[in-house]
Amino acid sequence: MGLLSRTVESVLKQREGSRRHFWGWLNAVFNRVDHERIKAIGPDRAAAEWLLRCGAKVRFEGFERWHHDYNGLPTGPLGRYKIQAIDATESCIMYKGFDYLDGLKYVEEMKFNKCIYIEDVCLERLSSIENLQASLYMMEVVSCGNVTDKGLVALHQLKNLEYLFLSDLPGVKHRRATVERLQKALPRLDVELDLD
């Protein structure tokens, strides 16, 4: 009986592993950047399609409503709708897709809540985008287990960042020093912490 139960347990573990591998592969496909699509429909529409495909939400400039349905994205002339806010809560966005953010000029708010693929290189890449350095003023990073002090320190490049909420980040080991570095680089920055 013990051999049978070990065999069944082994088969179930293999199934679970292949299921996880499948979802990881699918998420990577969703994050693949299509540069031709960006050229054809513009950076805001292409980024909105990427974000919604990955389970995030976007809000366009001049609108209060959050869009979460890929098929419900507004249509209209090229460049009419500009992304103002991104809520990536529980989405599968990952570094591979961050090229979609390059052309965005109006993003003021970003939320990364429970994003399992967000890691330091994502925050470093985000912080290196000149358009976002100028426009982004509010950000949340919550329950992103792969984010460490290194990724948070990179946010110092977002020169207009005024509010940063940080919570449930087990990879952050030097809270006080990290916050002090950010506030020294960004004197107007208000950091709210819930890291205990």
Side-chain angles (χ1 to χ4, degrees):
M1 192 64 158
L3 178 61
L4 178 61
S5 65
R6 283 194 304 266
T7 304
V8 169
E9 187 177 307
S10 174
V11 169
L12 290 175
K13 282 183 182 178
Q14 287 175 350
R15 276 184 148 170
E16 181 63 28
S18 65
R19 199 175 307 143
R20 285 186 189 158
H21 177 71
F22 171 76
W23 286 111
W25 171 83
L26 186 61
N27 291 336
V29 168
F30 284 167
N31 279 276
R32 187 174 300 139
V33 178
D34 184 346
H35 294 283
E36 293 302 315
R37 183 88 175 138
I38 295 170
K39 288 178 192 171
I41 64 173
D44 287 274
R45 174 67 189 218
E49 289 180 358
W50 163 62
L51 289 160
L52 271 58
R53 195 170 46 241
C54 292
K57 298 184 280 191
V58 297
R59 191 178 69 233
F60 293 103
E61 191 175 51
F63 294 86
E64 294 298 318
R65 181 174 167 258
W66 286 92
H67 291 272
H68 58 85
D69 179 7
Y70 185 91
N71 295 319
L73 280 173
T75 58
L78 184 66
R80 178 176 180 196
Y81 296 98
K82 305 292 185 189
I83 296 176
Q84 185 176 29
I86 297 170
D87 182 350
T89 299
E90 295 182 346
S91 71
C92 69
I93 65 170
M94 58 180 66
Y95 178 80
K96 187 176 190 173
F98 272 50
D99 284 359
Y100 279 110
L101 301 175
D102 284 338
L104 303 183
K105 297 179 181 176
Y106 303 95
V107 178
E108 297 175 349
E109 175 185 343
M110 285 189 145
K111 296 178 182 179
F112 297 116
N113 298 329
K114 299 178 185 174
C115 299
I116 63 172
Y117 297 109
I118 294 297
E119 52 193 345
D120 292 342
V121 292
C122 298
L123 298 182
E124 291 167 355
R125 174 74 171 94
L126 173 84
S127 300
S128 72
I129 300 171
E130 288 183 26
N131 292 333
L132 295 178
Q133 289 175 357
S135 68
L136 195 61
Y137 74 86
M138 187 175 132
M139 189 171 198
E140 290 183 13
V141 183
V142 177
S143 300
C144 297
N146 296 319
V147 171
T148 70
D149 301 273
K150 181 182 176 188
L152 295 180
V153 168
L155 299 177
H156 81 277
Q157 295 180 74
L158 299 171
K159 59 188 171 210
N160 286 321
L161 195 62
E162 294 178 8
Y163 177 77
L164 178 62
F165 178 68
L166 305 172
S167 178
D168 188 26
L169 300 172
V172 176
K173 303 297 183 199
H174 308 286
R175 288 177 229 139
R176 185 173 303 228
T178 299
V179 170
E180 286 174 4
R181 287 180 69 181
L182 283 171
Q183 289 179 321
K184 184 175 181 182
L186 303 167
R188 295 182 302 156
L189 180 63
D190 177 25
V191 180
E192 187 177 339
L193 293 174
D194 183 16
L195 296 176
D196 296 323

